[in-house]
């Protein structure tokens, strides 16, 4: 699947273009189209602001008009936070991503059009698009910078292709087997019994059941079982030393 292209209409600051490239790279987009960048192109500061996400910048294409930038696209959505008088469907980024994904699945090229940092998109440019994409942000503060808007839309696109969480950074060790866990339960319960934890005695079965359920949910590895049993042993030995000291002190008082 070819991801949507990102079209920036009259971008003003190189730093913002670099930040957009970062957002695109984060979520697997690479086709960047610039319409009349204010300071020309290329701009060295854009590469610096991209922080290594250089491939959208390296392949960026320059156009003199929005019409030229979208001429090869089958479906284009305009992104804006400002209400306009145009009678176009209004979509959230999630809805837009689903529609774009459907078009891409049919082999069609698609894109998202973003306006300049200060004024946004002109109404005439929005009229070239099939729908308006806007974010459900809090009306008390509608300010959202260009890179943030691109990142949110790019994320929603990514979710149409990579909906699951990424793999773990490293494989977790396997859970300990039932026999190993039983050894832990019995060790723990024996020490708790010696400490007088199971009181009153008639409640011991339900208390044991609750403890075993809690420990089972943790899915300890073999190493974690050994560590936990070491903790139990250290606590029980510490209790023994305290009891021995109290016994010595009691004997000394009798003497």
């Amino acid at each position: 699947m070819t991801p949507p292209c990102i079209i920036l209409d009259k971008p003003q600051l190189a730093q913002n273009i670099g930040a957009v490239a970062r957002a695109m790279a984060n979520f697997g987009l690479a086709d960047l189209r610039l319409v009349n960048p204010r300071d020309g192109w290329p701009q060295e500061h854009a590469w610096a602001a991209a922080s290594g996400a250089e491939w959208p910048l390296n392949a960026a294409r320059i156009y003199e008009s929005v019409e030229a930038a979208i001429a090869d696209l089958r479906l284009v959505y305009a992104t804006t936070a400002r209400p306009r008088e145009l009678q176009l469907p209004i979509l959230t980024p999630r809805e837009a991503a689903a529609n774009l994904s459907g078009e891409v699945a049919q082999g069609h090229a698609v894109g998202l059009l973003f306006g300049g940092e200060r004024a946004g998109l002109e109404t005439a440019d929005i009229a070239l698009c099939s729908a308006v994409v806007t974010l459900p942000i809090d009306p008390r503060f509608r300010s959202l910078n260009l890179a943030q808007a691109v990142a949110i839309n790019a994320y929603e696109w990514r979710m149409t292709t990579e909906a699951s969480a990424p793999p773990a950074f490293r494989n977790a060790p396997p859970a300990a087997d039932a026999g190993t866990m039983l050894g832990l339960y019995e060790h723990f319960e024996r020490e708790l019994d010696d400490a007088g934890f199971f009181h009153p005695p008639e409640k011991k079965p339900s208390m044991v059941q609750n403890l075993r359920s809690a420990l089972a949910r943790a899915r300890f590895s073999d190493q974690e079982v050994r560590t936990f049993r070491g903790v139990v042993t250290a606590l029980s030995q510490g209790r023994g030393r305290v009891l021995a000291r109290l016994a010595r002190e009691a004997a000394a008082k009798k003497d």
Side-chain angles (χ1 to χ4, degrees):
M1 294 176 67
T2 302
C5 68
I6 298 297
I7 307 138
L8 303 185
D9 186 22
K10 305 180 205 51
Q12 298 176 7
L13 298 176
Q15 292 90 331
N16 290 343
I17 299 174
V20 165
R22 286 204 313 270
M24 292 174 63
N26 281 149
F27 300 108
L29 306 186
D31 187 350
L32 176 61
R33 305 182 181 191
L34 306 176
V35 179
N36 288 325
R38 184 188 66 181
D39 300 323
W41 192 259
Q43 299 174 34
E44 181 180 347
H45 292 304
W47 272 262
S51 301
E54 298 179 350
W55 50 100
L57 301 177
N58 293 339
R61 287 177 277 181
I62 310 301
Y63 297 85
E64 293 185 357
S65 67
V66 172
E67 290 90 339
I70 68 172
D72 63 323
L73 304 180
R74 189 67 62 94
L75 180 64
V76 185
Y77 288 154
T79 61
T80 180
R82 297 179 177 86
R84 308 299 174 98
E85 63 272 18
L86 296 170
Q87 298 299 310
L88 288 174
I90 308 298
L91 307 174
T92 65
R94 187 161 300 175
E95 293 168 330
N99 293 348
L100 294 170
S101 179
E103 289 291 323
V104 168
Q106 298 179 54
H108 299 158
V110 300
L112 288 163
L113 175 63
F114 294 82
E117 295 89 323
R118 294 185 180 276
L121 287 171
E122 297 179 3
T123 302
D125 294 327
I126 297 175
L128 300 171
C129 301
S130 301
V132 167
V133 180
T134 192
L135 280 68
I137 56 179
D138 194 314
R140 295 173 297 176
F141 193 72
R142 292 184 177 275
S143 177
L144 196 71
N145 70 39
L146 182 59
Q148 288 173 326
V150 171
I152 292 171
N153 281 275
Y155 166 79
E156 291 296 347
W157 161 262
R158 185 71 171 180
M159 290 296 290
T160 68
T161 61
E162 301 286 343
S164 60
F169 294 112
R170 63 181 179 88
N171 292 327
D177 61 33
T180 301
M181 290 302 297
L182 182 60
L184 168 61
Y185 300 153
E186 292 174 343
H187 181 188
F188 194 29
E189 292 155 14
R190 185 168 56 252
E191 296 299 339
L192 289 174
D193 214 357
D194 290 346
F197 176 77
F198 297 115
H199 183 80
E202 61 271 17
K203 289 191 175 181
K204 179 178 178 178
S206 63
M207 296 170 76
V208 165
Q209 179 177 301
N210 290 340
L211 286 169
R212 291 190 177 192
S213 295
L215 291 170
R217 285 197 298 272
R219 291 184 58 80
F220 286 159
S221 67
D222 286 338
Q223 179 58 58
E224 289 167 336
V225 168
R226 289 193 292 271
T227 299
F228 197 89
R229 293 190 68 167
V231 169
V232 173
T233 298
L235 290 173
S236 64
Q237 290 176 347
R239 184 189 68 241
R241 286 195 295 270
V242 170
L243 293 176
R245 177 175 56 81
L246 292 175
R248 288 195 301 272
E249 290 175 354
K253 288 180 179 179
K254 288 180 180 180
D255 294 341

